Amino acid sequence: MKARYLTTKEKAAARIAAESVLDAQVEDITNRVQCMVFAAMLNAGLSARTVNRVIDQLPDVIDSYGRLRKEKLADYDMIQSLIARGVKVRMTKEEL
């Protein structure tokens, strides 16, 4: 029985399909984590108005994180700035 190898075109199509599935999974995970944080904020006594103000700030934070990510400093910079402002967070195991 002969082995059948994928052509370059088939490999590219498979890669695009896999990336699409992975992107959807990452987006779902991100949405779940955000909802957990927002629920925790409400449970801690913050008002829905304050939570919505936080939601409104997310695009700016995401943009600045994206710019720093290109330099491989995003996680470190974000975490250090949170720690400097008194937020108790842990360092990531790996920089993205």
Side-chain angles (χ1 to χ4, degrees), residues 2 23 35 44 50 59:
K2 276 189 161 182
D23 286 346
C35 287
T50 299

Side-chain angles (χ1 to χ4, degrees), residues 81-95:
S81 71
L82 288 169
I83 291 170
R85 295 172 81 178
V87 179
K88 300 175 191 173
V89 293
R90 294 178 290 188
M91 291 298 293
T92 56
K93 293 184 185 341
E94 205 173 305
E95 183 77 39

Side-chain angles (χ1 to χ4, degrees), residues 23-51:
D23 286 346
Q25 290 174 345
V26 167
E27 187 174 337
D28 284 346
I29 291 167
T30 302
N31 288 336
R32 285 185 196 104
V33 170
Q34 286 177 353
C35 287
M36 287 181 210
V37 171
F38 300 147
M41 293 169 73
L42 291 169
N43 289 348
L46 297 176
S47 70
R49 183 173 176 223
T50 299
V51 174

Side-chain angles (χ1 to χ4, degrees), residues 49-83:
R49 183 173 176 223
T50 299
V51 174
N52 285 321
R53 286 177 46 215
V54 170
I55 291 168
D56 291 342
Q57 291 298 313
L58 276 174
D60 293 337
V61 173
I62 291 167
D63 287 344
S64 80
Y65 180 85
R67 283 191 300 275
L68 287 169
R69 188 168 173 205
K70 291 176 186 171
E71 300 171 24
K72 302 277 188 202
L73 297 170
D75 291 341
Y76 180 80
D77 185 69
M78 179 178 56
I79 291 169
Q80 289 303 317
S81 71
L82 288 169
I83 291 170

